[in-house]
Amino acid sequence: MSKDGGIVGISDHGGWAVLVTVAPDGTLLDRRRVELMADDLPALPHHHEGQMLPPDEAMALVERVRVSAEKHAVLALDAVAMAVRNIRGVALRNCQQLPPTIAERIKDYRARNVADWVMYRKALACAAEARGWPVHWYDAKKVFAAADKALGVGNFDAHFLHLRHTVGPPWNTDHKLAMAAAVVTAKAFVD
């Protein structure tokens, strides 16, 4: 990985995400919050709005949100690519397995509780892959311990707090998760 390259760690939510880009040594290169859908669309169509609509309308709504998410994911990664040269990949939270169709996801209680997050992650993954950036999936429950090891610090929390004081707000839990994922993925590239 070249010195000016980096990994984009992503902490996603319903309709938005925090992207933190780090160099191979863990140096912060970029951070940003991005919207992943149009303002006039609901963030959680599987989980919330789709539950109140007839099935055909619910499926059409989910599809409109998915298309918007894909468009906004491309725009978000375009912005990162303009700010940081030579992006080497992205790190995204693992996706849960879901039923194959929108109708099944809306009906299934467990599926509808995670389907929107999976939709946004897949939109970001597709946008990254379209740019030729590899996608690395991480386990949010294990990534902080892995970041401790990757950075060679005894405590990623302390490292993060120091960085938080240095760069200033916004710098919160989502930034911490995204940075940890990016650090772990960057370390995997240089090993």
Side-chain angles (χ1 to χ4, degrees), residues 68-93:
S68 182
E70 289 177 356
K71 175 185 169 189
H72 283 78
V74 168
L75 295 172
L77 295 186
D78 285 350
V80 172
M82 294 292 289
V84 179
R85 292 183 4 193
N86 196 22
I87 298 295
R88 305 295 292 197
V90 301
L92 282 160
R93 255 185 276 211

Side-chain angles (χ1 to χ4, degrees), residues 20-34:
V20 175
T21 307
V22 301
D25 65 357
T27 301
L28 176 67
L29 301 174
D30 186 70
R31 64 181 167 154
R32 62 189 63 231
R33 183 186 192 276
V34 299

Side-chain angles (χ1 to χ4, degrees), residues 101-121:
T101 68
I102 294 170
E104 291 172 296
R105 285 179 237 142
I106 289 173
K107 287 180 187 175
D108 181 273
Y109 179 76
R110 187 202 65 81
R112 74 176 173 238
N113 286 316
V114 297
D116 297 307
W117 283 266
V118 170
M119 176 179 59
Y120 293 116
R121 288 177 200 155

Side-chain angles (χ1 to χ4, degrees), residues 47-70:
H47 180 70
H48 190 262
E49 289 80 6
Q51 299 302 308
M52 297 178 270
L53 296 172
D56 289 345
E57 290 179 35
M59 290 185 292
L61 176 62
V62 169
E63 184 60 19
R64 284 195 311 276
V65 174
R66 184 194 63 77
V67 168
S68 182
E70 289 177 356

Side-chain angles (χ1 to χ4, degrees), residues 140-163:
K141 293 179 182 175
K142 298 178 181 177
V143 75
F144 294 119
D148 285 346
K149 186 175 178 182
L151 282 178
V153 297
N155 184 334
F156 185 74
D157 287 335
H159 175 79
F160 182 81
L161 284 174
H162 173 72
L163 186 57

